[in-house]
Amino acid sequence: MAVTVTTMRKMKEAGDKITWLTAYDYSFAALIDNAGIDAILVGDSLGMVMQGHATPVPVTIEHAAYHTECVARGVNNCMIVGDLPFGSYQVSKEQAYENAVKLMQAGAHTIKLEGGELQVETINFLAERGIAVCAHIGLTPQSVHQLGGFKVQGRGDAAQQLLDDARRVQEAGAFAVVLEAVPAALAAQITEKLTIPTIGIGAGVDCDGQVLVLQDMIGIYPHKSPKFCKNFMTGNQSVADAVSQYIAEVKAGTFPADEHSFK
C-alpha cells in the first residue's frame, strides 16, 4: 500500500518509526522500495555522491528532476520526496512553486526545502496550492559556506531558534521536518512538541524517523562519512540485506546509537 502524508502522521501518533533513505536511480530505488522503506528522498546530496562535488550547491533543478524521474520508475509503494536544490526556491515563493511543480511532474509525491522561519511564507504558499512540503532545519547543507562547514547546529543559545523554526514550519503547513546534525536532547524536545513527524539525520534516536544517504550506509562513498552514519554492509552479503537491517534497526529504535548522535 502506498505511503502517504497521512500514513506518516498516523505512524507518529502510533509511535511507529519512519524510515527514509536517499536514492537517485531506478535500480537502487526499486531495491529500496521492495525492502519496505517508507520514503525515498531524491536528495541534493546527489551533487556529492553522484556528481563528485564537495557540496550540494552545484545541483540544478534539471538535475533534480532527471534523478526524480529515474527513481519514480522504480517505485511502487514508498513516498518519493523531491529535494529543491540551491537557488531553485530562495528568490520568491512563485519560483519555489514553479520548481516544485517540475519535481512533482517528474514523479515526486512531496518536496523538501531547507530553512526554518525564513521559509514560512514559501511553505504556506506551496501548501495552500496542494503541494506537501517537508522542511529541513539544523545543519542545512546548501548553506554550508555560510555556516562555516558541516557543523552541529542548535547548541547553547541557538537551541531556542531551532525550536522556534520547528514550530513555525509546522504552523505554515509542513507535513514533516528533517532535523540534521542537532543535539539528540534538543531533537527529542522538538519531536515531543510537534504534531508533525521529525526525520532525523544525526539528531538522535528520539526523532519520529531517520534518513541516511544510501552511499554512506552501504559504505561506497569514497570520502569520510559523517559521524551519524553507519555502514550497514558490515556483516551483510548484499545491499538488499543491508537496507533491510537499516529498516529493522530504525523500527526497533536501536539505530542511531549514542555513537551516531551529538550531545
Side-chain angles (χ1 to χ4, degrees), residues 131-146:
I131 296 175
V133 181
C134 177
H136 182 153
I137 63 175
L139 172 60
T140 47
Q142 293 174 12
S143 304
V144 64
H145 297 303
Q146 182 186 45

Side-chain angles (χ1 to χ4, degrees), residues 90-132:
Q90 291 95 339
V91 173
S92 67
K93 57 186 184 293
E94 290 81 10
Q95 180 206 30
Y97 178 80
E98 178 182 350
N99 287 316
V101 167
K102 290 179 180 177
L103 293 187
M104 294 187 71
Q105 289 177 337
H109 304 122
T110 64
I111 66 99
K112 181 178 77 67
L113 53 76
E114 292 185 5
E117 189 170 355
L118 289 176
Q119 297 301 333
V120 162
E121 185 178 353
T122 295
I123 292 169
N124 183 252
F125 186 83
L126 297 179
E128 287 182 343
R129 285 154 181 80
I131 296 175

Side-chain angles (χ1 to χ4, degrees), residues 161-220:
Q161 182 61 56
L162 277 187
L163 283 163
D164 292 343
D165 282 342
R167 177 181 55 81
R168 292 293 303 278
V169 298
Q170 175 176 273
E171 291 172 351
F175 80 89
V177 57
V178 169
L179 305 177
E180 181 167 358
V182 172
L186 175 59
Q189 188 178 359
I190 292 172
T191 300
E192 183 178 1
K193 289 182 178 296
L194 296 187
T195 59
I196 62 173
T198 58
I199 308 298
I201 177 166
V205 72
D206 292 316
C207 292
D208 297 305
Q210 300 292 329
V211 61
L212 283 180
V213 172
L214 176 66
Q215 281 76 359
D216 286 326
M217 63 83 63
I218 60 174
I220 63 171

Side-chain angles (χ1 to χ4, degrees), residues 3-15:
V3 177
T4 67
V5 169
T6 301
T7 307
M8 292 195 183
R9 186 182 306 117
K10 289 181 178 178
M11 290 177 74
K12 177 182 175 78
E13 292 170 355

Side-chain angles (χ1 to χ4, degrees), residues 28-84:
F28 274 125
L31 183 153
I32 293 169
D33 185 51
N34 288 335
I37 204 78
D38 295 314
I40 288 176
L41 170 63
V42 188
D44 62 359
S45 47
L46 72 90
M48 302 171 73
V49 300
M50 299 294 287
Q51 298 176 336
H53 297 297
T55 76
V57 171
V59 176
T60 67
I61 189 64
E62 289 77 21
H63 297 152
Y66 169 78
H67 286 277
T68 300
E69 286 181 352
C70 295
V71 166
R73 295 187 190 106
V75 166
N76 292 312
N77 299 304
C78 72
M79 176 188 288
I80 301 172
V81 185
D83 208 359
L84 283 172

